């Protein structure tokens, strides 16, 4: 097989394992059908989170495989319109959105506008609308071809960072004066720290020994501590736990150490477990509350504040992009991995937790 008409599937029982398989393609298009040819996409721990929550939240349903043992791990990236029977979606148009790791994706275009369209395929109803919309790059005033890799890496993550901080800020940080952030080397974590820079809260990083130097070099946190140092953190300060690791053992230690000083546990994501409910009868203090960015955006839509939110978000996101790729002191180096074989190796490293946090991995479809 060549890369054409292939897809990279994930073994559900072992997220580090992938297999290359044929990608079914339609012989004829129906009215409204659009074929998107995926070009490049980001590979981060966020993708492992999608897979870890594949059954619990419904991510495995978004791109059906017809194989109960294997799923399509979702990714964010750029594609070109290869064929179209949808008025307003022209062949050759560049789009950004949510994809399987596959050569092509057939979508049923609806809600077509100058800015983009949505996939109306029934299986896409498993997740909120934000995951089903495709942006037409020609209509996006923030789009830059030179920044596609950076946008693919950070756009889907920074919206989570930004909405989580927006939610916590609106809640007055639940009375906390300090935020402890786990998995501090993750892009979502230091995106959150960046958003908190002007707030009157202390932001403390928790990270593993392997990533500590990287986290310290970011300069995004007020202090950096190893996971083994949790019990040495000063108590007596109202504290909020922003949990990007989802590690149940670490959660118990954080809760036990801070006790009544722990005011809120915001569980944003996990590469450790699909147990996002935090149902632990031995846990001291507040129950973890799972944060879902799409729900926050839906609430803005219901309140009629979504446009104002996005205006603020897009300006702040642009500033963040500029910071992470600042040539004078970039936070990451971007590395392209071409072809499904190379991409599968990146997925394995992400699932094993041995990827380099200083590398921004981009998967490129080899044609």
């Amino acid at each position: 097989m060549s890369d054409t008409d292939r897809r990279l599937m994930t073994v559900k029982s072992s997220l580090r394992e992938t297999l290359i398989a044929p990608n079914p393609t339609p012989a004829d298009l129906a009215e409204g059908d659009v074929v998107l040819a995926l070009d490049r996409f980001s590979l981060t721990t966020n993708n492992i989170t999608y897979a870890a929550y594949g059954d619990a939240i419904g991510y495995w349903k978004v791109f059906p495989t017809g194989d109960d043992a294997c799923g399509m791990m979702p990714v964010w990236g750029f594609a070109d319109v290869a064929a179209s029977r949808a008025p307003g979606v022209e062949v050759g148009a560049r789009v950004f959105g949510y994809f399987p790791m596959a050569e092509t994706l057939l979508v049923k275009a609806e809600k077509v506008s100058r800015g983009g369209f949505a996939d109306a395929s029934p299986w896409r109803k498993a997740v909120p609308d934000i995951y089903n919309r495709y942006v037409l790059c020609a209509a996006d005033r923030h789009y830059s071809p030179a920044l596609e890799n950076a946008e693919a890496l950070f756009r889907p993550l920074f919206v989570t960072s930004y909405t989580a901080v927006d939610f916590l800020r609106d809640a007055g940080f639940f009375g906390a004066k300090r935020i402890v952030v786990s998995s501090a080397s993750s892009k979502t974590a230091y995106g959150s720290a960046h958003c908190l820079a002007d707030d009157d809260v202390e932001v403390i990083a928790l990270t593993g020994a392997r990533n500590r130097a990287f986290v310290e070099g970011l300069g995004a946190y007020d202090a950096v501590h190893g996971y083994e140092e949790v019990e040495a953190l000063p108590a007596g300060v109202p504290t909020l736990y922003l949990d990007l690791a989802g590690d149940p053992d670490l959660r118990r230690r954080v809760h036990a150490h801070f006790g009544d000083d722990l005011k809120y546990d915001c569980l944003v994501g996990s590469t450790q477990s699909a147990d996002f409910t935090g149902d632990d009868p031995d846990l001291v203090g507040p129950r973890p509350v799972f944060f879902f960015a799409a729900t926050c955006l839906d609430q803005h839509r219901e309140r009629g504040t979504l446009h104002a939110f996005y205006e603020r978000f897009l300006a702040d996101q642009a500033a963040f992009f500029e910071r992470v790729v600042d040539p004078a002191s970039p936070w990451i180096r971007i590395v392209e991995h071409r072809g499904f074989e190379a991409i599968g190796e990146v997925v394995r490293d992400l699932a094993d937790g041995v990827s380099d946090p200083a590398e921004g991995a981009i998967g490129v479809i080899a044609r």
Side-chain angles (χ1 to χ4, degrees):
M1 287 187 296
S2 68
D3 265 326
T4 302
D5 298 322
R6 298 201 301 176
R7 57 183 176 175
L8 188 70
M9 299 201 299
T10 300
V11 178
K12 293 181 181 180
S13 61
S14 177
L15 302 184
R16 71 185 307 276
E17 296 182 42
T18 58
L19 58 93
I20 300 171
N23 183 40
T25 56
D28 298 297
L29 299 185
E31 187 68 24
D33 282 354
V34 174
V35 176
L36 302 174
L38 184 60
D39 176 33
R40 61 188 56 240
F41 52 90
S42 58
L43 292 162
T44 71
T45 53
N46 189 46
N47 304 111
I48 305 300
T49 299
Y50 289 144
Y53 295 152
D55 290 319
I57 295 182
Y59 293 118
W60 288 137
K61 297 178 183 177
V62 180
F63 305 115
T65 64
D67 182 346
D68 290 340
C70 294
M72 297 297 298
M73 184 181 292
V75 295
W76 292 90
F78 290 89
D80 296 309
V81 176
S84 175
R85 288 197 61 193
V89 182
E90 303 300 326
V91 172
R94 191 75 162 167
V95 303
F96 176 84
Y98 202 52
F99 293 91
M101 287 187 280
E103 174 76 10
T104 60
L105 172 67
L106 175 68
V107 301
K108 178 72 71 174
E110 69 167 5
K111 302 177 183 176
V112 179
S113 69
R114 178 177 173 274
F117 57 92
D119 183 4
S121 300
W123 44 85
R124 300 296 289 260
K125 305 302 181 185
V127 293
D129 184 63
I130 187 175
Y131 292 95
N132 300 328
R133 293 204 61 83
Y134 293 89
V135 176
L136 287 166
C137 296
D140 181 359
R141 70 180 187 276
H142 298 281
Y143 169 72
S144 168
L147 292 176
E148 277 194 350
N149 285 344
E151 184 168 354
L153 279 166
F154 287 102
R155 179 168 176 161
L157 300 175
F158 189 68
V159 69
T160 299
S161 303
Y162 197 84
T163 52
V165 171
D166 189 63
F167 161 72
L168 296 175
R169 187 182 290 126
D170 282 349
F173 299 107
F174 296 90
K177 296 298 182 182
R178 173 175 56 197
I179 299 179
V180 175
V181 184
S182 64
S183 193
S185 64
S186 71
K187 296 173 181 65
T188 305
Y190 62 77
S192 299
H194 174 85
C195 294
L196 290 162
D198 295 328
D199 287 284
D200 187 24
V201 289
E202 182 184 23
V203 185
I204 304 298
L206 289 179
T207 189
R210 188 176 64 87
N211 296 332
R212 183 162 183 164
F214 169 75
V215 176
E216 290 174 338
L218 293 172
Y221 299 95
D222 293 307
V224 179
H225 295 273
Y227 290 127
E228 73 282 0
E229 299 174 313
V230 167
E231 287 75 14
L233 291 173
V237 177
T239 298
L240 187 152
Y241 185 36
L242 185 58
D243 187 3
L244 275 298
D247 185 322
D249 291 334
L250 177 62
R251 181 186 303 133
R252 294 186 197 104
R253 290 172 58 208
V254 168
H255 279 241
H257 177 65
F258 290 110
D260 292 340
D261 292 326
L262 190 64
K263 302 305 179 184
Y264 193 79
D265 183 334
C266 184
L267 176 56
V268 176
S270 170
T271 60
Q272 303 291 329
S273 168
D275 177 21
F276 65 91
T277 63
D279 187 14
D280 184 345
D282 298 322
L283 196 66
V284 175
R287 299 293 96 181
V289 179
F290 188 77
F291 176 79
F292 202 27
T295 301
C296 181
L297 295 175
D298 286 343
Q299 290 170 347
H300 274 292
R301 184 179 291 107
E302 291 169 3
R303 295 196 299 262
T305 57
L306 188 61
H307 178 74
F309 171 85
Y310 266 119
E311 286 298 309
R312 175 164 50 90
F313 164 71
L314 291 171
D316 291 344
Q317 178 181 247
F320 178 68
F321 287 172
E322 290 177 5
R323 176 61 196 89
V324 295
V325 298
D326 180 2
S329 58
W331 279 358
I332 62 164
R333 63 181 184 277
I334 294 175
V335 180
E336 295 185 353
H337 301 266
R338 185 172 295 273
F340 286 127
E341 290 83 357
I343 291 165
E345 293 177 5
V346 177
V347 171
R348 181 198 61 213
D349 288 347
L350 288 168
D352 289 346
V354 298
S355 58
D356 184 351
E359 175 184 314
I362 295 292
V364 179
I365 299 295
R367 290 186 171 88

